[in-house]
């Protein structure tokens, strides 16, 4: 799960309680790793992606401003092949965007590209209890059948953006 920790943690807690018998794991980064090298950060993110089938992104007011969310998206959309240990290899992950009930939404550009291409699945928070399992299954289906629609050609963000009267700078 990918989300803005300072703003959206309450929704993560609620989602964990609503999971309706499904296994939903939170592989988000729990500690500040900004002092690591970019390659080390990518390795941490990649290792977390190995275990999931769908990356759920909670879209709130500041989601699109976060460097690590962009990196998690970038890593989830890349296949990774480990010739020495094939168990560590994985294919791209499905994407499920959940729009939170906030005043506005800041969608990461990489995610928006994949929504626009038809690869990523999206839904509104108000429908989570009713539709979450079906939307996750749809994202898995797209992962398996529509990977040609993946858009992952943007450079990774090199810093967090700031919100200046609704504009990302």
């Amino acid at each position: 799960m990918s989300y803005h920790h300072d703003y959206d943690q309450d929704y993560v807690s609620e989602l964990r309680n609503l999971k309706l018998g499904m296994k939903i794991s939170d592989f988000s980064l729990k500690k500040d790793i900004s002092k690591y090298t970019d390659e080390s950060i990518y390795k941490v993110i990649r290792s977390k992606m190995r275990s999931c089938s769908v990356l759920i992104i909670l879209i709130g007011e500041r989601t699109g401003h976060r460097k690590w969310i962009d990196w998690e998206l970038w890593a989830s959309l890349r296949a990774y092949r480990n010739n020495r240990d094939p168990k560590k290899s994985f294919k791209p992950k499905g994407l499920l965007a959940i729009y939170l009930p906030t005043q506005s939404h800041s969608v990461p550009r990489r995610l928006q590209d994949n929504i626009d291409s038809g690869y990523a699945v999206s839904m509104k928070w108000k429908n989570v209890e009713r539709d979450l399992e079906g939307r996750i299954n749809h994202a898995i289906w797209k992962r398996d059948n529509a990977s040609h629609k993946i858009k992952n050609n943007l450079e990774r963000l090199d810093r967090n953006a700031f919100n200046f009267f609704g504009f990302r700078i």
Side-chain angles (χ1 to χ4, degrees):
M1 198 171 332
S2 190
Y3 57 96
H4 191 295
H5 289 264
D6 293 339
Y7 288 85
D8 303 328
Q9 186 64 51
D10 289 342
Y11 294 105
V12 173
S13 300
E14 193 172 334
L15 188 60
R16 285 183 186 134
N17 292 331
L18 288 175
K19 60 184 176 180
L20 308 171
M22 296 177 294
K23 181 182 179 194
I24 297 177
S25 300
D26 181 0
F27 294 111
S28 61
L29 302 173
K30 307 283 188 294
K31 62 180 182 173
D32 182 12
I33 60 172
S34 59
K35 303 232 183 297
Y36 291 21
T37 66
D38 285 354
E39 185 59 29
S40 295
I41 292 169
Y42 175 65
K43 285 180 183 177
V44 168
I45 291 171
R46 185 181 65 213
S47 72
K48 291 179 175 290
M49 290 298 149
R50 183 178 312 118
S51 301
C52 76
S53 55
V54 173
L55 177 64
I56 297 174
I57 308 96
L58 300 182
I59 308 298
E61 294 180 346
R62 304 280 172 104
T63 308
H65 297 80
R66 305 306 290 173
K67 173 182 175 177
W68 303 136
I69 291 173
D70 180 63
W71 282 40
E72 289 169 344
L73 283 161
W74 181 79
S76 72
L77 292 169
R78 296 171 47 112
Y80 176 70
R81 184 178 186 108
N82 186 322
N83 292 325
R84 287 182 277 162
D85 187 354
K87 291 180 183 176
K88 291 184 178 179
S89 298
F90 58 82
K91 59 186 175 181
K93 307 305 177 186
L95 296 180
L96 172 58
I98 300 176
Y99 290 89
L100 300 176
T102 56
Q103 292 279 45
S104 62
H105 296 99
S106 173
V107 182
R109 284 186 52 208
R110 189 177 315 278
L111 177 58
Q112 188 63 56
D113 286 350
N114 284 281
I115 291 170
D116 293 345
S117 76
Y119 182 72
V121 175
S122 62
M123 67 183 297
K124 293 180 181 178
W125 178 260
K126 70 179 184 178
N127 299 324
V128 163
E129 192 168 354
R130 182 188 73 201
D131 296 337
L132 181 62
E133 186 173 5
R135 300 309 282 170
I136 288 173
N137 288 333
H138 191 203
I140 290 170
W141 184 89
K142 285 193 173 202
R143 176 199 68 190
D144 294 339
N145 296 290
S147 61
H148 63 281
K149 294 184 176 186
I150 291 174
K151 302 294 181 205
N152 200 24
N153 54 356
L154 296 172
E155 292 292 322
R156 288 180 294 182
L157 292 180
D158 60 356
R159 62 180 174 81
N160 289 328
F162 296 98
N163 187 15
F164 184 72
F165 296 110
F167 295 99
R168 275 182 42 166
I169 57 170

